Amino acid sequence: MAENRRGMLGTSRIRAFGCALGAIALLSLPCFAQLQVGDDLRMNLSGNVGFTYAGGMNGGVSDHAMGFMGNGTLSGNYYNPNFLNFNVSPFYNREQTNSIFGSLSNSSGLSSNVNLFSGSHFPGSISYNKLFNDTNAFGVPGSDLGLAQRQNTQSFGVGWSALIPDWPTLTANYTIGNTSNDLIGIPGTDTENDRLLNIMSTYNWDGFLMTGQFQHRTTDTYFSELLETGQSPFTTLSSSNDYGATLQHSLPMTGSFGLSWNRLSYNYDYQNAFSANNSGNSDTVNATAAFHPTNQLGVSFEGTYNDSLLGNVPVAALNAGTAVNTSVADSFHSYLVGSNVFYQVITTLGLQASVAYENQSFLGQSYSATQFGGSANFNFDHSLVKGLSFSVGVVDTAQQANNTGVGFVGNVNYDRKFWGWDLGANFSYAQNVQTVMLVYTTSYYSYLGSVRRRIGDRKYFMAGYSGSHSGVTANSGTTSSANRVWSGFIYRGNSINAYYDKSSGLALFTAAGLVPVPTTLPTQVLAPNTFTSYDSTGYGVSLGITPMRRLIVSGAWAKSNGSTISPSLNLYTDNTLINATMQYRLRKIFVTAGYTRLNQSIGALGTQPLDVTNYYIGISRWFNFF
């Protein structure tokens, strides 16, 4: 047994020695110029080729590996760049120094595209992209870190256009894509397959600008991660057809007219221990007209008709196969007519007034209301408060039964540089503002502030704070909030940064992460089991230094924890991430190194965390092969 082990170690050393010799030989290779094949084909190939050693520990089990790594770009053209040009960029065993999760995995892949007849009336393109063993974040709204997951993606696309002068243009694109995600430390794989067809046409005739568009999307998803005990994986299949058309024309008095129509059809299938299916349609028609009789006066008119709330569901949620209660969405009908007048009294003061009448029906109930609104916008140009601007407005909604109260909207901005300080701030507030539904109002406020100061030769200090809070008053539990504070210091190319963020709210679960639920949409439109309440807190610090010329060293530490509660997703998360990288450049030779350690816990309180550590060191050289 001992002799076999010594033999294996000897073989490993010989293999490592051979790889090292190969790396040295590569670094000594000369570079060449552009390659021309025949009279018409021209190509150029450049990139980095090198040798890397990587090791790690996963769940107490260590491993290591040595081998080649590299990336390159092959570009060229045939006959003429406008006739055919191409670009192919493969990479192998690439360390993700540009990823928040650093060297947690070595990724390989390819991105490529071909352009045909670029200089003609019938240009086309073909693209293919593939990414294997990538590491990215399962997104949580308001969180900088998220949950680490491994991802494989692949896509193929083809596009063509007909651009004949004085004829309607026509552009068509078709894309096929598939994605698989594996949350680190969680069994199972989530997959998503997409098919997207997009057709668009434009035409300008006698001052009328017309556009038409059609989009068909099919999304097939499979969820097997983050499931409750005993819950089976489930699949969703959703498809949508989106039709649209617009018409625009200029009018007297520096005016314009616009008319648009949009129709969205949606179909959804769900399969688990039980199956469900629903479908629906949404039509929206909008007409606008605007005039500017004088430089100071502007008048506009608007009319809108909508026969479903389906079009108000976030596109990201529809694309992810989120279940929509189409019977509820289709019970909505609305039409609105209104007018708006704006007058610039003086350079720093503008006044605005509006009136609108709206009639709605929803879930068998009818509502109607007349809204009156007004606002003032003021910009200060005095030396003491220069850079300060604000606007205030009120909206009064009178329904057929009673007056629902006065809504208030306010906004303050400040942007000023003085005495070496660069200050910026914004505060927005709204109370009792109508949402898409007359009977639902929302209140929200948001704020942000930043300061930057030069405190010496190539020395800068920066800090900022931002936050938001919103919610629909008619739906308890639909509020959301997010806060973030950050600070940084830069000295001669060296920097240190720190942040703290906290967020909570209501979201929809998708394979790519949590998508916030818009607080302006009635929750009855979405299936009850699609909602997930989330709470997340994160903080971290990063450092970047250049101790000597051509040497760059960076490091970061971050921690996040959170929880989600819903009928299908109840869990607690806790992440700690340490990431460090180093790069040294000597002419065309690069020496790189990295270290990443992830401690990630996903599940019930007290779940044993998974500890993953990876590190690497490599040497490579840039070549211009031909």
Side-chain angles (χ1 to χ4, degrees):
M1 181 71 68
E3 293 179 358
N4 290 337
R5 185 178 294 113
R6 284 193 295 270
M8 293 173 62
L9 290 174
T11 303
S12 177
R13 292 192 183 102
I14 293 173
R15 186 182 300 112
F17 182 72
C19 289
L21 287 178
I24 295 173
L26 281 173
L27 298 178
S28 63
L29 288 176
C31 300
F32 301 96
Q34 186 184 55
L35 175 67
Q36 181 167 339
V37 181
D39 296 330
D40 299 318
L41 180 60
R42 297 173 179 85
M43 295 185 294
N44 180 270
L45 175 62
S46 62
N48 285 287
V49 179
F51 172 80
T52 183
Y53 167 81
M57 181 172 291
N58 188 340
V61 179
S62 64
D63 62 354
H64 64 90
M66 294 173 287
F68 291 100
M69 51 81 69
N71 62 81
T73 299
L74 174 65
S75 60
N77 63 83
Y78 180 78
Y79 182 67
N80 185 288
N82 287 334
F83 177 73
L84 185 152
N85 65 80
F86 58 89
N87 187 289
V88 182
S89 299
F91 54 92
Y92 173 73
N93 210 22
R94 182 182 66 181
E95 299 289 349
Q96 293 181 266
T97 54
N98 62 338
S99 167
I100 188 173
F101 294 106
S103 59
L104 206 57
S105 65
N106 298 339
S107 61
S108 301
L110 170 75
S111 62
S112 60
N113 68 280
V114 177
N115 297 307
L116 302 167
F117 316 135
S118 302
S120 73
H121 300 310
F122 301 96
S125 64
I126 302 172
S127 65
Y128 176 77
N129 301 282
K130 185 176 179 63
L131 183 60
F132 175 74
N133 201 30
D134 186 36
T135 304
N136 62 8
F138 180 88
V140 178
S143 174
D144 283 39
L145 186 56
L147 302 177
Q149 65 178 359
R150 292 189 176 93
Q151 184 180 79
N152 299 322
T153 63
Q154 184 175 233
S155 66
F156 171 79
V158 59
W160 212 273
S161 298
L163 309 174
I164 304 175
D166 301 324
W167 280 62
T169 66
L170 179 63
T171 301
N173 296 280
Y174 182 65
T175 305
I176 302 173
N178 57 73
T179 303
S180 64
N181 298 309
D182 297 279
L183 272 169
I184 296 177
I186 293 294
T189 300
D190 293 342
T191 63
E192 180 176 315
N193 300 304
D194 291 289
R195 304 289 186 271
L196 177 63
L197 172 65
N198 190 57
I199 301 174
M200 185 175 183
S201 178
T202 63
Y203 186 49
N204 197 331
W205 175 74
D206 197 25
F208 288 92
L209 178 60
M210 296 170 280
T211 64
Q213 184 172 356
F214 169 75
Q215 184 181 92
H216 172 76
R217 178 187 290 271
T218 301
T219 302
D220 182 5
T221 58
Y222 174 82
F223 297 97
S224 63
E225 297 180 312
L226 302 176
L227 301 176
E228 291 293 313
T229 302
Q231 186 179 2
S232 302
F234 60 92
T235 62
T236 66
L237 177 61
S238 63
S239 63
S240 63
N241 292 312
D242 195 346
Y243 309 84
T246 63
L247 175 67
Q248 295 177 327
H249 195 279
S250 60
L251 294 175
M253 294 184 290
T254 322
S256 62
F257 167 79
L259 181 66
S260 65
W261 168 77
N262 179 266
R263 178 179 177 84
L264 174 66
S265 61
Y266 169 84
N267 186 76
Y268 173 85
D269 287 290
Y270 175 95
Q271 290 185 350
N272 192 355
F274 66 94
S275 60
N277 173 272
N278 57 29
S279 60
N281 299 288
S282 172
D283 288 280
T284 303
V285 180
N286 180 262
T288 60
F291 304 91
H292 290 273
T294 68
N295 292 333
Q296 293 80 25
L297 178 63
V299 182
S300 64
F301 303 91
E302 179 185 14
T304 301
Y305 171 78
N306 187 359
D307 69 353
S308 175
L309 288 174
L310 183 62
N312 297 93
V313 179
V315 174
L318 287 177
N319 293 345
T322 300
V324 177
N325 194 336
T326 53
S327 61
V328 174
D330 291 343
S331 71
F332 176 83
H333 296 269
S334 170
Y335 67 86
L336 176 146
V337 291
S339 180
N340 184 80
V341 178
F342 179 82
Y343 186 73
Q344 192 72 36
V345 182
I346 55 177
T347 304
T348 57
L349 176 63
L351 301 177
Q352 179 265 340
S354 63
V355 59
Y357 172 80
E358 186 168 7
N359 185 284
Q360 294 181 350
S361 62
F362 183 59
L363 295 176
Q365 299 292 322
S366 296
Y367 313 94
S368 63
T370 302
Q371 286 189 334
F372 303 91
S375 65
N377 305 281
F378 195 86
N379 299 305
F380 289 92
D381 58 1
H382 299 290
S383 58
L384 293 179
V385 288
K386 187 176 181 179
L388 176 65
S389 64
F390 70 86
S391 64
V392 294
V394 293
V395 178
D396 184 56
T397 303
Q399 297 188 12
Q400 66 267 39
N402 58 0
N403 190 300
T404 59
V406 176
F408 175 79
V409 178
N411 187 74
V412 180
N413 291 283
Y414 185 67
D415 189 0
R416 181 75 186 276
K417 296 180 180 179
F418 61 93
W419 300 335
W421 291 91
D422 188 350
L423 304 178
N426 171 267
F427 177 77
S428 299
Y429 176 79
Q431 182 179 7
N432 294 333
V433 177
Q434 179 197 322
T435 67
V436 67
M437 286 296 303
L438 285 173
V439 293
Y440 290 173
T441 60
T442 185
S443 299
Y444 66 85
Y445 57 88
S446 65
Y447 43 87
L448 64 89
S450 64
V451 57
R452 184 176 185 269
R453 179 174 172 80
R454 181 176 179 178
I455 55 179
D457 181 29
R458 298 171 63 184
K459 290 183 286 187
Y460 299 90
F461 168 77
M462 300 164 291
Y465 181 67
S466 62
S468 64
H469 183 91
S470 62
V472 181
T473 58
N475 297 329
S476 61
T478 60
T479 59
S480 64
S481 65
N483 293 274
R484 190 177 193 275
V485 59
W486 58 271
S487 180
F489 179 75
I490 299 175
Y491 174 65
R492 296 179 179 270
N494 306 299
S495 64
I496 182 171
N497 299 278
Y499 75 91
Y500 171 85
D501 59 50
K502 183 176 179 58
S503 62
S504 62
L506 203 62
L508 303 172
F509 175 60
T510 72
L514 299 177
V515 176
V517 176
T519 56
T520 57
L521 183 70
T523 54
Q524 299 97 316
V525 175
L526 302 175
N529 62 350
T530 60
F531 293 107
T532 296
S533 63
Y534 67 90
D535 186 85
S536 175
T537 302
Y539 44 92
V541 61
S542 62
L543 176 70
I545 60 174
T546 307
M548 57 183 292
R549 189 180 179 186
R550 301 190 185 93
L551 176 62
I552 302 174
V553 180
S554 63
W557 175 88
K559 184 175 180 60
S560 71
N561 55 73
S563 62
T564 59
I565 302 175
S566 77
S568 60
L569 184 62
N570 302 320
L571 55 87
Y572 295 86
T573 63
D574 195 305
N575 276 23
T576 302
L577 178 69
I578 301 174
N579 186 27
T581 62
M582 181 276 292
Q583 182 186 85
Y584 180 73
R585 179 177 62 87
L586 179 62
R587 295 183 180 272
K588 297 180 180 181
I589 297 176
F590 295 85
V591 179
T592 58
Y595 172 86
T596 300
R597 181 174 182 179
L598 173 70
N599 187 282
Q600 180 164 281
S601 173
I602 305 175
L605 277 175
T607 299
Q608 187 69 22
L610 177 69
D611 195 280
V612 181
T613 301
N614 279 336
Y615 52 89
Y616 73 94
I617 184 170
I619 183 170
S620 63
R621 185 187 191 277
W622 182 86
F623 294 93
N624 186 19
F625 296 99
F626 52 79

